Amino acid sequence: MKKTLTLVAAALMLCTTTNAQEDVNIGKNNITVKDGRMTPEALWAMGRIGGYAASPDGKHIAYQVAYYSVKANKSHHILYVMDADGQNQRKLTTSSKNETDAAWLSNNRIAFLTGGEIWAMDIDGSNRQQLSDTNGEVEGFLFSPDGKRVIILKSLPYHGSIQKNPDDLPKATGRLVTDMNYRHWDHYVETITHPFVADVEPSSFIIHPSSMRDILEGEPYECPMAPFGGVEQLAWSPDSKTIAYTCRKKEGVDYAISTDSDIFLYSVDDNATVNICKTAGPTNFRTDPTKTMKGQAVNSEENLKNNPGYDQNPQFSPDGKYVAWLSMARDGYESDRQRLCCFNLETGEKSYLTESFDSNVDDFCWSDNKDALIYFIGVWHATENLYAINWKGEVKQLTNDWADFGSLQMLNNGKQILAERHDFMNAADLYVVTPNFKKPEKTKVEQITQENKHIFDQLAKGKVQQRWVETTDGKQMLYWVILPPNFDETKKYPTLLFCEGGPQSPVSQFWSYRWNFMIMASQGYVIVAPNRHGLPGFGSEWCEEISGDWTGQCMDDYLTAIDDAANNLPYVDRDHLGAVGASFGGFSVYYLAGHHNKRFKCFIAHDGAFNLESMYTDTEEVWFSNWEYEDAYWNKDLSENARKTYENSPHRFVDKWDTPILCIHGEMDYRINANQGMGAFNAARLRGIPAELLIFPDENHWVLKPQNGILWQRTFFNWLNRWLKKPEVVRRVRMED
């Protein structure tokens, strides 16, 4: 299942421990790499760039990096500052405490978050001063442009779905659940985040605690939205009088089946709120919670004017006349095409600017350029590049790299863009882009950080290739081929089919600290990574064909890709093929295990769905199952797609399993519950098939803790080596390790 908002910094924060007895100052790791080969230890030694911000004059950039200690099993988040050209990098964090969320108060003063409070320091790290006093409750903040107010994010107790236990039973661990949405992602929903606005002393930026008021006072809703939303879901108007915020104002069953979030405008002086999405009449529709929203009234043509899908991440235009945000059209469809919606604050008119771009807009920033209105990033043909659009709806591609760009910000001089960039062979670094709307080919891209140069200089990199192949329905599919370092085309290599999750997440040039193609190639594997039906970047029709058809064309695409590689790439060892994947990719592996006709010699499935009937009621996000399956399994009037979905659930084909399989799952994964992985492992063992289960009691859909991450990688490669490499090679690898 896909989450469109990917916040690296938020994910990294989940790894941070607060045990004072383990408090250590973790800094940049120095590691010696043997034979130029990427290892799990080298991967976890890398610094991970998180949030970043440019000073008002555009001359300096503050940014954060997370470093990990495998021994201490924790991370340390550090702040740096540098000139906008990447020169004169200076470390600001000098203690063992995490410092994050740098924001500029002036050209020489930086606010940041540490210990649950807002602090400030000079650009050289001196003159530190605590600005907030909340007993360590601050989770995020956003100062107004005039510096007179600040938004503070804090969590409040919530008992909408889980009743509060009696006061005379303080040690009771039971939870009395009264409605859905009682747990989400990896936690029980007993708190919700609210934004508070407070007055600030103009000269010192000290926050007045008595002035703090809850923007959602008395409302049982969250802002930002769980599980990944952060301060990017709120924005100040340029005149500091209005706050735009994102909220899904639903509870219980209504929350579980709906993706309908809206953009609200809150007047700071009047304490009044307006919904700028719901502007076209009645919005209270009777909905059947056991069926897809596709044909229900909430998604009628008339109601689409009310933005019933995901709406999030508002930004005001520099002149304050417009608000733009990321918008999905339909309720219940978390992977709908994400467009740029623009709202005219004077006329109330909404317009969708990127209709000619038939893919997702993943992030954007307003431009001061008279030619280009907004800069944005989007995926097309398996890369995430930078684009610009004007008022006429003309979209121009400004970069054309085999790379993924992310998290755009103007450098505040209106002429350059600050962005993060990574690819299959390079971890994230910061870049400055000088766009040219009239002559896109003259757009300039300059790297300004080299966070992991000391490690990458020791590593041998493999090569990346693109191949196009005809699918069984007569269309063209792109798949990536990643080759090992020091590749010898006269040799044959064991080869992995990579099955993507989502199901609608692109196989673009991502860099992952778990599903990392560079480390897979470094271990001597060729990787085949198809952009199968169901992935964005090839048009809406291609992307949407997977919904209701999880085991049809997309599975044919997997086999088409691996067959093309095995038949036409002489270095692919067709006798030593494996298939690996997570989430929907894990589901794909479980399905292929019963339908691969002995192509593969081993499988690895991470957090995959195994029994779709169980999955329907296990997951906390029912909107996903409803859209993808179309019906609850007990409905007597199942749609044809629903019937086919349940009849083709992987657990129904275990009798055809004949290949060793490794199942991995996190017990805190409340999206795809751990019983799915346990059930697959148990089924394999009962069938007498070699199998292993790697279970993490303290991990969610991801693996975030350093030692768990190392264990994941070692288990992953030990399993592959056991079944895909010749015995003498396995013995040599283990001796070298």
Side-chain angles (χ1 to χ4, degrees), residues 625-652:
S625 299
N626 275 344
W627 193 275
E628 295 300 320
Y629 309 168
E630 295 193 356
D631 264 303
Y633 63 85
W634 60 79
N635 284 341
K636 302 304 181 184
D637 58 344
L638 288 177
S639 71
E640 180 60 23
N641 282 342
R643 182 194 60 77
K644 181 174 63 176
T645 295
Y646 292 119
E647 287 182 354
N648 286 287
S649 176
H651 79 285
R652 294 182 178 273

PDB file of all heavy atoms in Angstrom, residues 625-652:
ATOM      1  N   SER A 625      -8.629  -1.302   1.036  1.00  0.00           N
ATOM      2  CA  SER A 625      -9.205  -2.589   0.644  1.00  0.00           C
ATOM      3  C   SER A 625     -10.466  -2.396  -0.183  1.00  0.00           C
ATOM      4  O   SER A 625     -10.701  -3.109  -1.168  1.00  0.00           O
ATOM      5  CB  SER A 625      -9.517  -3.429   1.894  1.00  0.00           C
ATOM      6  OG  SER A 625      -8.345  -3.684   2.624  1.00  0.00           O
ATOM      7  N   ASN A 626     -11.298  -1.426   0.197  1.00  0.00           N
ATOM      8  CA  ASN A 626     -12.534  -1.194  -0.549  1.00  0.00           C
ATOM      9  C   ASN A 626     -12.246  -0.800  -1.998  1.00  0.00           C
ATOM     10  O   ASN A 626     -12.910  -1.268  -2.926  1.00  0.00           O
ATOM     11  CB  ASN A 626     -13.370  -0.100   0.125  1.00  0.00           C
ATOM     12  CG  ASN A 626     -14.252  -0.646   1.234  1.00  0.00           C
ATOM     13  OD1 ASN A 626     -14.472  -1.848   1.322  1.00  0.00           O
ATOM     14  ND2 ASN A 626     -14.747   0.226   2.082  1.00  0.00           N
ATOM     15  N   TRP A 627     -11.271   0.060  -2.200  1.00  0.00           N
ATOM     16  CA  TRP A 627     -10.994   0.513  -3.556  1.00  0.00           C
ATOM     17  C   TRP A 627     -10.337  -0.593  -4.376  1.00  0.00           C
ATOM     18  O   TRP A 627     -10.678  -0.804  -5.539  1.00  0.00           O
ATOM     19  CB  TRP A 627     -10.097   1.750  -3.554  1.00  0.00           C
ATOM     20  CG  TRP A 627     -10.049   2.407  -4.904  1.00  0.00           C
ATOM     21  CD1 TRP A 627      -9.230   2.096  -5.952  1.00  0.00           C
ATOM     22  CD2 TRP A 627     -10.903   3.458  -5.357  1.00  0.00           C
ATOM     23  NE1 TRP A 627      -9.504   2.896  -7.029  1.00  0.00           N
ATOM     24  CE2 TRP A 627     -10.530   3.745  -6.691  1.00  0.00           C
ATOM     25  CE3 TRP A 627     -11.940   4.195  -4.770  1.00  0.00           C
ATOM     26  CZ2 TRP A 627     -11.157   4.734  -7.450  1.00  0.00           C
ATOM     27  CZ3 TRP A 627     -12.552   5.177  -5.522  1.00  0.00           C
ATOM     28  CH2 TRP A 627     -12.167   5.437  -6.842  1.00  0.00           C
ATOM     29  N   GLU A 628      -9.406  -1.310  -3.760  1.00  0.00           N
ATOM     30  CA  GLU A 628      -8.633  -2.297  -4.510  1.00  0.00           C
ATOM     31  C   GLU A 628      -9.395  -3.609  -4.702  1.00  0.00           C
ATOM     32  O   GLU A 628      -9.246  -4.268  -5.731  1.00  0.00           O
ATOM     33  CB  GLU A 628      -7.298  -2.556  -3.804  1.00  0.00           C
ATOM     34  CG  GLU A 628      -6.382  -1.343  -3.764  1.00  0.00           C
ATOM     35  CD  GLU A 628      -6.015  -0.828  -5.148  1.00  0.00           C
ATOM     36  OE1 GLU A 628      -5.774  -1.659  -6.041  1.00  0.00           O
ATOM     37  OE2 GLU A 628      -5.985   0.406  -5.342  1.00  0.00           O
ATOM     38  N   TYR A 629     -10.206  -4.019  -3.720  1.00  0.00           N
ATOM     39  CA  TYR A 629     -10.940  -5.286  -3.842  1.00  0.00           C
ATOM     40  C   TYR A 629     -12.367  -5.082  -4.343  1.00  0.00           C
ATOM     41  O   TYR A 629     -12.966  -5.987  -4.908  1.00  0.00           O
ATOM     42  CB  TYR A 629     -11.025  -6.010  -2.491  1.00  0.00           C
ATOM     43  CG  TYR A 629      -9.740  -6.197  -1.742  1.00  0.00           C
ATOM     44  CD1 TYR A 629      -9.764  -6.616  -0.411  1.00  0.00           C
ATOM     45  CD2 TYR A 629      -8.494  -5.976  -2.311  1.00  0.00           C
ATOM     46  CE1 TYR A 629      -8.601  -6.803   0.311  1.00  0.00           C
ATOM     47  CE2 TYR A 629      -7.328  -6.158  -1.593  1.00  0.00           C
ATOM     48  CZ  TYR A 629      -7.390  -6.558  -0.274  1.00  0.00           C
ATOM     49  OH  TYR A 629      -6.235  -6.732   0.447  1.00  0.00           O
ATOM     50  N   GLU A 630     -12.931  -3.906  -4.032  1.00  0.00           N
ATOM     51  CA  GLU A 630     -14.266  -3.444  -4.433  1.00  0.00           C
ATOM     52  C   GLU A 630     -15.402  -3.889  -3.515  1.00  0.00           C
ATOM     53  O   GLU A 630     -16.460  -3.274  -3.537  1.00  0.00           O
ATOM     54  CB  GLU A 630     -14.583  -3.851  -5.890  1.00  0.00           C
ATOM     55  CG  GLU A 630     -13.676  -3.184  -6.907  1.00  0.00           C
ATOM     56  CD  GLU A 630     -14.164  -3.337  -8.326  1.00  0.00           C
ATOM     57  OE1 GLU A 630     -15.188  -4.026  -8.549  1.00  0.00           O
ATOM     58  OE2 GLU A 630     -13.524  -2.767  -9.230  1.00  0.00           O
ATOM     59  N   ASP A 631     -15.200  -4.926  -2.702  1.00  0.00           N
ATOM     60  CA  ASP A 631     -16.286  -5.419  -1.844  1.00  0.00           C
ATOM     61  C   ASP A 631     -15.709  -6.082  -0.604  1.00  0.00           C
ATOM     62  O   ASP A 631     -14.619  -6.676  -0.663  1.00  0.00           O
ATOM     63  CB  ASP A 631     -17.127  -6.484  -2.580  1.00  0.00           C
ATOM     64  CG  ASP A 631     -18.380  -5.913  -3.232  1.00  0.00           C
ATOM     65  OD1 ASP A 631     -19.181  -5.313  -2.502  1.00  0.00           O
ATOM     66  OD2 ASP A 631     -18.538  -6.086  -4.449  1.00  0.00           O
ATOM     67  N   ALA A 632     -16.470  -6.026   0.485  1.00  0.00           N
ATOM     68  CA  ALA A 632     -16.190  -6.919   1.602  1.00  0.00           C
ATOM     69  C   ALA A 632     -16.455  -8.347   1.159  1.00  0.00           C
ATOM     70  O   ALA A 632     -17.392  -8.604   0.383  1.00  0.00           O
ATOM     71  CB  ALA A 632     -17.062  -6.560   2.802  1.00  0.00           C
ATOM     72  N   TYR A 633     -15.654  -9.275   1.632  1.00  0.00           N
ATOM     73  CA  TYR A 633     -15.752 -10.655   1.132  1.00  0.00           C
ATOM     74  C   TYR A 633     -17.090 -11.307   1.460  1.00  0.00           C
ATOM     75  O   TYR A 633     -17.492 -12.266   0.804  1.00  0.00           O
ATOM     76  CB  TYR A 633     -14.597 -11.508   1.666  1.00  0.00           C
ATOM     77  CG  TYR A 633     -14.558 -11.673   3.164  1.00  0.00           C
ATOM     78  CD1 TYR A 633     -15.310 -12.662   3.789  1.00  0.00           C
ATOM     79  CD2 TYR A 633     -13.760 -10.848   3.950  1.00  0.00           C
ATOM     80  CE1 TYR A 633     -15.282 -12.817   5.170  1.00  0.00           C
ATOM     81  CE2 TYR A 633     -13.721 -10.994   5.323  1.00  0.00           C
ATOM     82  CZ  TYR A 633     -14.472 -11.976   5.930  1.00  0.00           C
ATOM     83  OH  TYR A 633     -14.438 -12.120   7.292  1.00  0.00           O
ATOM     84  N   TRP A 634     -17.822 -10.783   2.451  1.00  0.00           N
ATOM     85  CA  TRP A 634     -19.089 -11.414   2.831  1.00  0.00           C
ATOM     86  C   TRP A 634     -20.289 -10.919   2.025  1.00  0.00           C
ATOM     87  O   TRP A 634     -21.374 -11.457   2.141  1.00  0.00           O
ATOM     88  CB  TRP A 634     -19.353 -11.214   4.321  1.00  0.00           C
ATOM     89  CG  TRP A 634     -19.443  -9.775   4.747  1.00  0.00           C
ATOM     90  CD1 TRP A 634     -20.500  -8.930   4.612  1.00  0.00           C
ATOM     91  CD2 TRP A 634     -18.406  -9.011   5.366  1.00  0.00           C
ATOM     92  NE1 TRP A 634     -20.213  -7.699   5.113  1.00  0.00           N
ATOM     93  CE2 TRP A 634     -18.927  -7.713   5.591  1.00  0.00           C
ATOM     94  CE3 TRP A 634     -17.098  -9.283   5.775  1.00  0.00           C
ATOM     95  CZ2 TRP A 634     -18.171  -6.702   6.190  1.00  0.00           C
ATOM     96  CZ3 TRP A 634     -16.355  -8.287   6.371  1.00  0.00           C
ATOM     97  CH2 TRP A 634     -16.888  -7.019   6.566  1.00  0.00           C
ATOM     98  N   ASN A 635     -20.092  -9.878   1.235  1.00  0.00           N
ATOM     99  CA  ASN A 635     -21.208  -9.376   0.431  1.00  0.00           C
ATOM    100  C   ASN A 635     -21.674 -10.436  -0.567  1.00  0.00           C
ATOM    101  O   ASN A 635     -20.859 -11.071  -1.245  1.00  0.00           O
ATOM    102  CB  ASN A 635     -20.809  -8.102  -0.319  1.00  0.00           C
ATOM    103  CG  ASN A 635     -20.772  -6.883   0.585  1.00  0.00           C
ATOM    104  OD1 ASN A 635     -21.356  -6.886   1.666  1.00  0.00           O
ATOM    105  ND2 ASN A 635     -20.079  -5.842   0.145  1.00  0.00           N
ATOM    106  N   LYS A 636     -22.994 -10.622  -0.666  1.00  0.00           N
ATOM    107  CA  LYS A 636     -23.548 -11.620  -1.580  1.00  0.00           C
ATOM    108  C   LYS A 636     -23.559 -11.130  -3.027  1.00  0.00           C
ATOM    109  O   LYS A 636     -23.653 -11.938  -3.948  1.00  0.00           O
ATOM    110  CB  LYS A 636     -24.979 -11.993  -1.157  1.00  0.00           C
ATOM    111  CG  LYS A 636     -25.083 -12.524   0.266  1.00  0.00           C
ATOM    112  CD  LYS A 636     -24.166 -13.741   0.499  1.00  0.00           C
ATOM    113  CE  LYS A 636     -24.302 -14.268   1.919  1.00  0.00           C
ATOM    114  NZ  LYS A 636     -23.340 -15.385   2.183  1.00  0.00           N
ATOM    115  N   ASP A 637     -23.480  -9.818  -3.214  1.00  0.00           N
ATOM    116  CA  ASP A 637     -23.511  -9.258  -4.568  1.00  0.00           C
ATOM    117  C   ASP A 637     -22.117  -8.793  -4.984  1.00  0.00           C
ATOM    118  O   ASP A 637     -21.938  -7.697  -5.517  1.00  0.00           O
ATOM    119  CB  ASP A 637     -24.501  -8.094  -4.649  1.00  0.00           C
ATOM    120  CG  ASP A 637     -24.166  -6.976  -3.668  1.00  0.00           C
ATOM    121  OD1 ASP A 637     -23.376  -7.218  -2.724  1.00  0.00           O
ATOM    122  OD2 ASP A 637     -24.677  -5.855  -3.858  1.00  0.00           O
ATOM    123  N   LEU A 638     -21.131  -9.635  -4.738  1.00  0.00           N
ATOM    124  CA  LEU A 638     -19.756  -9.292  -5.074  1.00  0.00           C
ATOM    125  C   LEU A 638     -19.633  -8.875  -6.536  1.00  0.00           C
ATOM    126  O   LEU A 638     -20.207  -9.506  -7.426  1.00  0.00           O
ATOM    127  CB  LEU A 638     -18.828 -10.485  -4.842  1.00  0.00           C
ATOM    128  CG  LEU A 638     -18.505 -10.909  -3.404  1.00  0.00           C
ATOM    129  CD1 LEU A 638     -17.628 -12.144  -3.420  1.00  0.00           C
ATOM    130  CD2 LEU A 638     -17.831  -9.782  -2.650  1.00  0.00           C
ATOM    131  N   SER A 639     -18.858  -7.827  -6.759  1.00  0.00           N
ATOM    132  CA  SER A 639     -18.542  -7.467  -8.136  1.00  0.00           C
ATOM    133  C   SER A 639     -17.642  -8.542  -8.733  1.00  0.00           C
ATOM    134  O   SER A 639     -17.036  -9.347  -8.017  1.00  0.00           O
ATOM    135  CB  SER A 639     -17.831  -6.111  -8.188  1.00  0.00           C
ATOM    136  OG  SER A 639     -16.517  -6.221  -7.659  1.00  0.00           O
ATOM    137  N   GLU A 640     -17.543  -8.559 -10.046  1.00  0.00           N
ATOM    138  CA  GLU A 640     -16.693  -9.551 -10.707  1.00  0.00           C
ATOM    139  C   GLU A 640     -15.237  -9.387 -10.284  1.00  0.00           C
ATOM    140  O   GLU A 640     -14.530 -10.369 -10.061  1.00  0.00           O
ATOM    141  CB  GLU A 640     -16.817  -9.418 -12.229  1.00  0.00           C
ATOM    142  CG  GLU A 640     -15.956 -10.408 -13.018  1.00  0.00           C
ATOM    143  CD  GLU A 640     -16.304 -11.861 -12.727  1.00  0.00           C
ATOM    144  OE1 GLU A 640     -17.438 -12.140 -12.282  1.00  0.00           O
ATOM    145  OE2 GLU A 640     -15.428 -12.728 -12.943  1.00  0.00           O
ATOM    146  N   ASN A 641     -14.799  -8.129 -10.148  1.00  0.00           N
ATOM    147  CA  ASN A 641     -13.421  -7.899  -9.699  1.00  0.00           C
ATOM    148  C   ASN A 641     -13.200  -8.411  -8.281  1.00  0.00           C
ATOM    149  O   ASN A 641     -12.155  -8.993  -7.973  1.00  0.00           O
ATOM    150  CB  ASN A 641     -13.090  -6.411  -9.758  1.00  0.00           C
ATOM    151  CG  ASN A 641     -12.776  -5.943 -11.162  1.00  0.00           C
ATOM    152  OD1 ASN A 641     -12.477  -6.752 -12.040  1.00  0.00           O
ATOM    153  ND2 ASN A 641     -12.835  -4.638 -11.384  1.00  0.00           N
ATOM    154  N   ALA A 642     -14.180  -8.177  -7.407  1.00  0.00           N
ATOM    155  CA  ALA A 642     -14.048  -8.653  -6.029  1.00  0.00           C
ATOM    156  C   ALA A 642     -14.009 -10.174  -5.976  1.00  0.00           C
ATOM    157  O   ALA A 642     -13.192 -10.764  -5.253  1.00  0.00           O
ATOM    158  CB  ALA A 642     -15.199  -8.118  -5.185  1.00  0.00           C
ATOM    159  N   ARG A 643     -14.888 -10.799  -6.731  1.00  0.00           N
ATOM    160  CA  ARG A 643     -14.893 -12.267  -6.750  1.00  0.00           C
ATOM    161  C   ARG A 643     -13.542 -12.803  -7.212  1.00  0.00           C
ATOM    162  O   ARG A 643     -12.965 -13.711  -6.605  1.00  0.00           O
ATOM    163  CB  ARG A 643     -16.000 -12.758  -7.682  1.00  0.00           C
ATOM    164  CG  ARG A 643     -16.132 -14.286  -7.729  1.00  0.00           C
ATOM    165  CD  ARG A 643     -16.997 -14.732  -8.902  1.00  0.00           C
ATOM    166  NE  ARG A 643     -16.451 -14.301 -10.175  1.00  0.00           N
ATOM    167  CZ  ARG A 643     -15.410 -14.884 -10.773  1.00  0.00           C
ATOM    168  NH1 ARG A 643     -14.802 -15.918 -10.213  1.00  0.00           N
ATOM    169  NH2 ARG A 643     -14.970 -14.430 -11.935  1.00  0.00           N
ATOM    170  N   LYS A 644     -13.015 -12.213  -8.271  1.00  0.00           N
ATOM    171  CA  LYS A 644     -11.731 -12.655  -8.802  1.00  0.00           C
ATOM    172  C   LYS A 644     -10.608 -12.398  -7.798  1.00  0.00           C
ATOM    173  O   LYS A 644      -9.695 -13.227  -7.646  1.00  0.00           O
ATOM    174  CB  LYS A 644     -11.444 -11.917 -10.116  1.00  0.00           C
ATOM    175  CG  LYS A 644     -10.147 -12.306 -10.792  1.00  0.00           C
ATOM    176  CD  LYS A 644     -10.017 -11.638 -12.148  1.00  0.00           C
ATOM    177  CE  LYS A 644      -9.956 -10.136 -12.033  1.00  0.00           C
ATOM    178  NZ  LYS A 644      -9.726  -9.466 -13.332  1.00  0.00           N
ATOM    179  N   THR A 645     -10.666 -11.264  -7.119  1.00  0.00           N
ATOM    180  CA  THR A 645      -9.636 -10.928  -6.141  1.00  0.00           C
ATOM    181  C   THR A 645      -9.565 -11.962  -5.033  1.00  0.00           C
ATOM    182  O   THR A 645      -8.488 -12.482  -4.715  1.00  0.00           O
ATOM    183  CB  THR A 645      -9.902  -9.537  -5.541  1.00  0.00           C
ATOM    184  OG1 THR A 645      -9.783  -8.554  -6.572  1.00  0.00           O
ATOM    185  CG2 THR A 645      -8.925  -9.220  -4.427  1.00  0.00           C
ATOM    186  N   TYR A 646     -10.716 -12.269  -4.440  1.00  0.00           N
ATOM    187  CA  TYR A 646     -10.714 -13.225  -3.326  1.00  0.00           C
ATOM    188  C   TYR A 646     -10.398 -14.641  -3.796  1.00  0.00           C
ATOM    189  O   TYR A 646      -9.711 -15.400  -3.103  1.00  0.00           O
ATOM    190  CB  TYR A 646     -12.050 -13.171  -2.593  1.00  0.00           C
ATOM    191  CG  TYR A 646     -12.266 -11.868  -1.850  1.00  0.00           C
ATOM    192  CD1 TYR A 646     -13.332 -11.023  -2.169  1.00  0.00           C
ATOM    193  CD2 TYR A 646     -11.396 -11.474  -0.844  1.00  0.00           C
ATOM    194  CE1 TYR A 646     -13.530  -9.826  -1.505  1.00  0.00           C
ATOM    195  CE2 TYR A 646     -11.579 -10.265  -0.174  1.00  0.00           C
ATOM    196  CZ  TYR A 646     -12.648  -9.450  -0.506  1.00  0.00           C
ATOM    197  OH  TYR A 646     -12.829  -8.268   0.157  1.00  0.00           O
ATOM    198  N   GLU A 647     -10.863 -15.015  -4.971  1.00  0.00           N
ATOM    199  CA  GLU A 647     -10.586 -16.357  -5.474  1.00  0.00           C
ATOM    200  C   GLU A 647      -9.109 -16.549  -5.800  1.00  0.00           C
ATOM    201  O   GLU A 647      -8.609 -17.678  -5.779  1.00  0.00           O
ATOM    202  CB  GLU A 647     -11.429 -16.633  -6.721  1.00  0.00           C
ATOM    203  CG  GLU A 647     -12.906 -16.859  -6.435  1.00  0.00           C
ATOM    204  CD  GLU A 647     -13.705 -17.167  -7.693  1.00  0.00           C
ATOM    205  OE1 GLU A 647     -13.109 -17.087  -8.797  1.00  0.00           O
ATOM    206  OE2 GLU A 647     -14.907 -17.470  -7.569  1.00  0.00           O
ATOM    207  N   ASN A 648      -8.402 -15.448  -6.070  1.00  0.00           N
ATOM    208  CA  ASN A 648      -6.992 -15.536  -6.424  1.00  0.00           C
ATOM    209  C   ASN A 648      -6.073 -15.105  -5.290  1.00  0.00           C
ATOM    210  O   ASN A 648      -4.892 -14.828  -5.521  1.00  0.00           O
ATOM    211  CB  ASN A 648      -6.709 -14.699  -7.669  1.00  0.00           C
ATOM    212  CG  ASN A 648      -7.229 -15.361  -8.927  1.00  0.00           C
ATOM    213  OD1 ASN A 648      -6.674 -16.340  -9.407  1.00  0.00           O
ATOM    214  ND2 ASN A 648      -8.319 -14.824  -9.464  1.00  0.00           N
ATOM    215  N   SER A 649      -6.599 -15.048  -4.073  1.00  0.00           N
ATOM    216  CA  SER A 649      -5.750 -14.744  -2.921  1.00  0.00           C
ATOM    217  C   SER A 649      -4.628 -15.772  -2.819  1.00  0.00           C
ATOM    218  O   SER A 649      -4.853 -16.973  -3.021  1.00  0.00           O
ATOM    219  CB  SER A 649      -6.592 -14.766  -1.642  1.00  0.00           C
ATOM    220  OG  SER A 649      -5.769 -14.559  -0.506  1.00  0.00           O
ATOM    221  N   PRO A 650      -3.390 -15.346  -2.534  1.00  0.00           N
ATOM    222  CA  PRO A 650      -2.253 -16.284  -2.519  1.00  0.00           C
ATOM    223  C   PRO A 650      -2.455 -17.501  -1.630  1.00  0.00           C
ATOM    224  O   PRO A 650      -1.954 -18.589  -1.943  1.00  0.00           O
ATOM    225  CB  PRO A 650      -1.100 -15.415  -2.014  1.00  0.00           C
ATOM    226  CG  PRO A 650      -1.454 -14.036  -2.454  1.00  0.00           C
ATOM    227  CD  PRO A 650      -2.951 -13.957  -2.320  1.00  0.00           C
ATOM    228  N   HIS A 651      -3.185 -17.366  -0.528  1.00  0.00           N
ATOM    229  CA  HIS A 651      -3.304 -18.498   0.399  1.00  0.00           C
ATOM    230  C   HIS A 651      -4.078 -19.663  -0.218  1.00  0.00           C
ATOM    231  O   HIS A 651      -3.993 -20.787   0.269  1.00  0.00           O
ATOM    232  CB  HIS A 651      -3.967 -18.032   1.704  1.00  0.00           C
ATOM    233  CG  HIS A 651      -5.460 -17.892   1.645  1.00  0.00           C
ATOM    234  ND1 HIS A 651      -6.088 -16.843   1.013  1.00  0.00           N
ATOM    235  CD2 HIS A 651      -6.455 -18.673   2.154  1.00  0.00           C
ATOM    236  CE1 HIS A 651      -7.395 -16.962   1.131  1.00  0.00           C
ATOM    237  NE2 HIS A 651      -7.657 -18.066   1.821  1.00  0.00           N
ATOM    238  N   ARG A 652      -4.805 -19.393  -1.304  1.00  0.00           N
ATOM    239  CA  ARG A 652      -5.570 -20.462  -1.953  1.00  0.00           C
ATOM    240  C   ARG A 652      -4.703 -21.331  -2.873  1.00  0.00           C
ATOM    241  O   ARG A 652      -5.194 -22.325  -3.417  1.00  0.00           O
ATOM    242  CB  ARG A 652      -6.727 -19.861  -2.756  1.00  0.00           C
ATOM    243  CG  ARG A 652      -7.784 -19.172  -1.886  1.00  0.00           C
ATOM    244  CD  ARG A 652      -8.926 -18.649  -2.736  1.00  0.00           C
ATOM    245  NE  ARG A 652      -9.958 -18.022  -1.916  1.00  0.00           N
ATOM    246  CZ  ARG A 652     -10.973 -18.665  -1.350  1.00  0.00           C
ATOM    247  NH1 ARG A 652     -11.079 -19.984  -1.519  1.00  0.00           N
ATOM    248  NH2 ARG A 652     -11.873 -18.032  -0.620  1.00  0.00           N
TER     249      ARG A 652
END
